Each structure stands twice: as C-alpha cells, then as structure tokens.
Amino acid sequence: MARELPYDLIRQLPKTDLHVHLDGSLRLDTVMELARDQGVTLPADDRDALFHRIYAGDVCESLDDYLKAFEITLSVLQTEESLERAAFELAEDNWREGVRYFELRYAPILHTQRGLRPADVVEAVLRGLRRAKRQYGIRYGLLVCGIRTMSAESSLRVAELAVAFKNHGVVGFDLAGSEVGNPAKEHRAAFQLILDNNINCTAHAGEAFGPESIHQAIHKCGAHRIGHGTRLREDGDLLNYVNDHRIPLEVCVSSNIQTKAAQSIETHPVDFYVDYGLRVTINTDNRLVTHTTVTKELWLLHTHLGWDLDTLKVVIVSGFKSAFLPQREKADLLAAITRELDEFRAPEDAPALVTRSTGREPAPTGHEGESPRLSSRAEADSAPGPRRS
Ligand SMILES: [Zn+2]
C-alpha cells in the first residue's frame, strides 16, 4: 500500500530540471523591481494583478496564448545586469528545492531589443550561472533556443552561438515557439550545424502538434531529446522507436495542462509513458508562468497518480541520465545521486495515499516558494520534516 509522502521529503530529494525557460521563470518581485529600475511600464502595477497577467492558468486558450506572458518578462530582460540576475536567482531557487543539475534554456535573440549583442546575452547569463555554482555548488548547462516563428537564418545565428560557446557553458541547442504551422524542418540548417559540431540538441515537439512533429524533430533534425512529447502516444510505432533508442522525453505536466496539450494530470500520458518504460524526465518548463517547481511537479504526480517513492526515484534518475553532460562526468554524478537517493525511505507511519482526482489545482496566488495547497493531513505530515533512514 502506497503511503502519502511529506511534501518536504520530495523537496529534499536530489533532482534535475532539464527543461526550464529563463524568461518564464523569474521571480515575480524581480520582474517588478527590474521594471521600476529600468523605467519599463508593466501591464499591471499591483503584484497580484501582474501575477494573473503572467500566470496563464485560468485564461490560456492555447500555446499561442500562453506565449503572450513572455512579452511581459522579456520587457525587463534586455540588459546584461537583468539577465545575470535572473539566471543567478533561478539557479538559487532550484538549489533551494533540491535541484542539483539543471539545464536552463532561452532564446538569446529575444534579448537584443535594446541593442545587446547575442554573444553578450549568452555571457551575461553564464556569469549568473557561474556565480550560483560558486556560491551553492549547483551544476548547470545552458541551452540556446531558435524560435519556430522566426526565420531559418535567425536559428542558424543561434546555432553559431552554440558552436562558439561549446565547452564554455552552452551544452545544447533547442527549437522553441509555436509548433502549429512552423515545422522544425524549416530550421534544419541550424540543426545540421549543431550536429556537424557534435553538439547536443532537443526540440519542443508533440506539444501543440501531433506525433509527426516528433518524427520530424528526431529524423529530420537529429534531436537527442524531445521537449514535451505529449502526443507521442498517438503513434505506437514512433513511441517504440523512442523507447528502443532511449530518447528522453522532457515532460512538463502542469505546463501541458495550462496550454491545453493535456486536459488533466489523470489523462496526461506521463503515467503510461513511465509504465511502458520510456525514459521520462520531469520538468517545470516555466516556474513563474506555470507557477510550479520540480518538487511541485513530482508531488502532483505522487498525489494524483499515486506514484510511490520508488517511481519518483526512477524519473529522477532518468533526469540525471538524460543530462547533456559528458558520459564520465554523468556516471560519477549518477553514482553519487543513486547512493543519496537510497537513503530516502517513505515514512512507515504515514497515512495511506489517497489520490486526488480533481484534475485542477486551486488557483495559485503568485507567492514564490509556497507549496501547493495541501490537505490538512499532508500539512501535518510535512510539519516535522522528512524521516531519512
Ligand atoms: Zn518549453
């Protein structure tokens, strides 16, 4: 019988986040401070009103609608100082919830509106990440993104940046942005440059478009991982290919529900994917815009789908296995993480897990760092802290 895990135990587990966007993951207070300092006008002055303009949960009708929130955050991320700060704070927030390795992604080209050069944009973010690593020891990799709705040439420029910064903090290339009507193969030249230079790549695919998009990302663009892959289940043959080749899926459940790629946690394919043996990693996508953390994502899977601690450990290990790290470095990290995970046990005196099946969480309030609304029993469980035996 599965036991309900204290939220704090999940927070303490060593974790990864391989799919998190810088411009979707700022602290709300930082957005307001940066706007004040830079003289940028935000669509709302009041903190709660601003949060609801950014958090797309209740109003978002599609992925395209969801992407509008980024216009707000991008408006304050046009200086080196703001980029460095945002990267540092994101690393800090990750560290505080047990993330040991994360891969931050963003589109440098979207941060050049006030004259920054793309290389300076990359350097600024790397400075923030290096500072966080010095201070906390958190490990990171940076992915630079081309944008589907922009030209093939702009993606090629981003790929050139990835080549220039290879072995200097950039570990991969990604293609992001609206999937519908913007096939990845149009950005094939960028992917080819990446592959020619033996660099890792991933692509958002199968989120707002069907499995053909995933097929194209893998077979036309050479993607080593798939961002989302929500609609992979519609093509059993491709699903088996992805499984046989151990192509990791960067699953972002809450984000998928927001963008209507999935209707609820219960009907999201992640449970089937894990059950079938696919290499599933659990990620946030956007900590602010989706109002989530890795801990919250795992907790939701635990409480809604009944995933026990062993299952959570499986997806956590998959996260470390799927990192764009050199193999030897990854093997050392994995060995250390596995030993650490072995120390965590589900408390034997915890109540039996009763899965929730509401399909929707209560509306969030925008206060960073808060845990999701827990039942009073879960709160009582988490109060004394986790038992580590
Ligand atoms: Zn994404």
Side-chain angles (χ1 to χ4, degrees):
M1 180 178 59
R3 299 272 169 198
E4 183 154 321
L5 299 172
Y7 186 83
D8 201 47
L9 184 149
I10 298 177
R11 190 183 59 76
Q12 290 192 30
L13 295 171
K15 297 178 281 289
T16 61
D17 192 352
L18 302 181
H19 188 133
V20 56
H21 295 261
L22 178 66
D23 49 339
S25 303
L26 284 84
R27 295 175 187 166
L28 188 60
D29 290 326
T30 298
V31 175
M32 299 184 76
E33 270 181 50
L34 289 173
R36 201 167 47 238
D37 294 349
Q38 298 174 14
V40 169
T41 306
L42 296 172
D45 294 330
D46 171 69
R47 193 179 189 281
D48 287 344
L50 180 64
F51 174 71
H52 286 285
R53 290 297 293 264
I54 293 175
Y55 173 70
D58 296 332
V59 294
C60 174
E61 289 301 321
S62 66
L63 179 62
D64 292 328
D65 202 13
Y66 180 79
L67 295 173
K68 284 185 187 143
F70 296 85
E71 290 171 17
I72 300 171
T73 56
L74 283 168
S75 71
V76 298
L77 285 176
Q78 302 296 330
T79 66
E80 291 186 47
E81 296 73 25
S82 60
L83 286 160
E84 180 180 338
R85 175 177 173 177
F88 176 82
E89 289 181 352
L90 177 55
E92 190 172 59
D93 292 346
N94 269 286
W95 182 253
R96 285 176 178 163
E97 63 144 330
V99 172
R100 301 295 178 78
Y101 175 79
F102 77 117
E103 287 177 6
L104 171 61
R105 65 183 70 193
Y106 76 127
I109 218 129
L110 299 179
H111 300 269
T112 55
Q113 294 167 13
R114 277 189 249 153
L116 283 184
R117 293 183 311 137
D120 293 335
V121 172
V122 177
E123 255 309 324
V125 169
L126 286 172
R127 269 200 302 280
L129 295 174
R130 281 196 296 265
R131 183 153 64 91
K133 188 178 183 185
R134 280 198 302 275
Q135 192 162 329
Y136 298 108
I138 188 166
R139 300 161 84 139
Y140 64 85
L142 184 60
L143 305 181
V144 287
C145 308
I147 303 287
R148 284 175 181 266
T149 49
M150 296 175 82
S151 68
E153 288 71 29
S154 73
S155 292
L156 190 57
R157 296 288 91 78
V158 176
E160 287 167 355
L161 270 181
V163 173
F165 280 91
K166 181 186 176 186
N167 301 325
H168 297 275
V170 172
V171 299
F173 175 79
D174 170 44
L175 187 65
S178 182
E179 226 177 322
V180 180
N182 303 295
K185 65 182 179 188
E186 290 179 5
H187 303 263
R188 202 169 169 177
F191 280 101
Q192 194 58 55
L193 184 68
I194 291 296
L195 296 172
D196 286 346
N197 284 278
N198 306 309
I199 298 174
N200 291 301
C201 58
T202 177
H204 285 68
E207 179 187 16
F209 203 80
E212 306 89 326
S213 177
I214 300 168
H215 186 277
Q216 201 175 101
I218 294 170
H219 295 298
K220 297 278 189 282
C221 303
H224 301 105
R225 298 196 311 233
I226 291 297
H228 298 288
T230 318
R231 294 185 61 183
L232 178 62
R233 69 171 154 188
E234 295 170 28
D235 183 340
D237 198 50
L238 183 62
L239 183 129
N240 280 315
Y241 182 90
V242 167
N243 195 26
D244 293 346
H245 290 262
R246 311 309 295 144
I247 297 173
L249 299 178
E250 303 160 1
V251 171
C252 312
V253 173
S254 295
S255 165
N256 286 167
I257 294 167
Q258 266 188 309
T259 62
K260 309 280 197 287
Q263 292 308 308
S264 65
I265 299 171
E266 289 73 19
T267 56
H268 192 285
V270 67
D271 200 33
F272 165 64
Y273 290 167
V274 168
D275 196 43
Y276 197 70
L278 289 163
R279 184 162 288 173
V280 167
T281 70
I282 300 299
N283 310 276
T284 56
D285 208 8
N286 295 288
R287 296 173 69 100
L288 172 62
V289 176
T290 306
H291 191 69
T292 196
T293 61
V294 188
T295 304
K296 183 175 171 184
E297 292 299 304
L298 293 173
W299 187 83
L300 289 172
L301 294 164
H302 168 62
T303 53
H304 283 257
L305 300 178
W307 287 13
D308 60 13
L309 185 57
D310 286 344
T311 307
L312 296 183
K313 288 179 181 179
V314 166
V315 292
I316 285 172
V317 167
S318 287
F320 285 98
K321 281 184 177 171
S322 307
F324 286 156
L325 280 171
Q327 178 56 27
R328 289 196 177 88
E329 199 179 325
K330 191 155 63 176
D332 288 348
L333 181 60
L334 253 174
I337 293 295
T338 305
R339 277 195 301 274
E340 202 175 326
L341 282 173
D342 283 346
E343 304 269 311
F344 286 89
R345 302 265 192 277
E348 285 170 12
D349 56 352
L353 175 64
V354 179
T355 54
R356 296 133 173 90
S357 57
T358 57
R360 280 191 78 77
E361 289 300 297
T365 59
H367 295 285
E368 287 82 5
E370 72 174 14
S371 59
R373 309 285 173 83
L374 304 176
S375 67
S376 55
R377 194 170 62 187
E379 278 170 339
D381 287 340
S382 63
R387 284 157 49 100
R388 289 187 61 179
S389 55

